[in-house]
Amino acid sequence: MKTVITYGTFDLFHVGHVRLLRRLRDLGDRLVVGCSTDEFNASKGKHSVMPYDQRVEVLEACRYVDKVFPENSWDQKPEDIRREGADIFAMGDDWVGKFDYLEPQVEVVYLPRTQDISTTEVRQLVKSLHTEKVEEIKSAIDHLSSLVSGL
Ligand code: C2G
């Protein structure tokens, strides 16, 4: 039984997350995921749209994921690896080199990220759609008030 361990925020779960988790699961027999808590993200200056409980619920519903546990700090990884009996530590390659210090306790692997999709891009898209909608409403109100003032 080969255990793979990974970490992430997994906010606004998207196809990039799915493809990474599938490839990670294919590296072993069991995939365990450390999900960053809202408090830990706040300490990183990061604020996710989905609260921790919902991000965990989504991860647990993903068939590639066998277990989810909270990530509260940067330095808990060696203890997590020991507790879970992890054989492989793996992340997307935006973290390349950052976790090499975990060898030789565990094999460290970085996988190519999925291009052209990220939580940041999804947030920006939603924001631009929102702004667009607000502009539309504003011009409708302006049009209406000009009609009313012309009566
Ligand atoms: N990812 C990917 N392709 C994307 C977007 C993300 O493969 N298009 C991968 C990232 O490389 C990461 C994982 O999905 O391995 C989760 O990404 P985030 O939720 O952005 O994780 P992050 O906030 O970077 O947290 O202790 C480490 C941190 O918890 C990492």
Side-chain angles (χ1 to χ4, degrees):
M1 169 73 103
K2 201 177 245 187
T3 295
V4 181
I5 191 167
T6 193
Y7 294 79
T9 300
F10 298 100
D11 189 24
L12 301 178
F13 200 70
H14 53 67
V15 72
H17 296 140
V18 172
R19 290 177 184 164
L20 180 84
L21 295 170
R22 182 179 59 218
R23 286 174 292 154
L24 294 184
R25 184 62 175 73
D26 288 346
L27 292 176
D29 309 294
R30 176 172 172 263
L31 174 61
V32 297
V33 180
C35 183
S36 309
T37 61
D38 298 326
E39 295 73 21
F40 179 44
N41 275 335
S43 74
K44 295 191 263 179
K46 208 172 164 171
H47 176 75
S48 59
V49 173
M50 296 165 65
Y52 173 73
D53 296 347
Q54 291 182 15
R55 292 183 280 114
V56 169
E57 200 175 333
V58 170
L59 280 170
E60 287 176 341
C62 178
R63 62 186 156 124
Y64 307 120
V65 175
D66 298 287
K67 179 180 178 181
V68 182
F69 59 88
E71 182 189 23
N72 300 297
S73 69
W74 288 110
D75 52 18
Q76 67 180 65
K77 292 182 175 70
E79 171 49 28
D80 294 339
I81 290 163
R82 191 199 59 70
R83 185 190 64 244
E84 300 297 337
D87 306 284
I88 299 174
F89 171 95
M91 297 287 292
D93 59 8
D94 48 326
W95 291 93
V96 73
K98 297 280 189 325
F99 298 111
D100 293 355
Y101 70 89
L102 294 168
E103 284 177 347
Q105 185 188 9
V106 73
E107 180 190 349
V108 174
V109 176
Y110 303 99
L111 298 179
R113 275 171 66 90
T114 299
Q115 297 306 309
D116 306 324
I117 180 80
S118 72
T119 300
T120 308
E121 283 170 30
V122 174
R123 288 176 83 149
Q124 281 161 353
L125 177 64
V126 171
K127 202 164 174 216
S128 67
L129 292 173
H130 175 73
T131 312
E132 224 175 83
K133 192 51 70 187
V134 169
E135 289 313 315
E136 267 176 41
I137 294 166
K138 272 194 190 149
S139 66
I141 290 170
D142 290 349
H143 180 59
L144 280 174
S145 48
S146 65
L147 287 176
V148 170
S149 60
L151 291 175

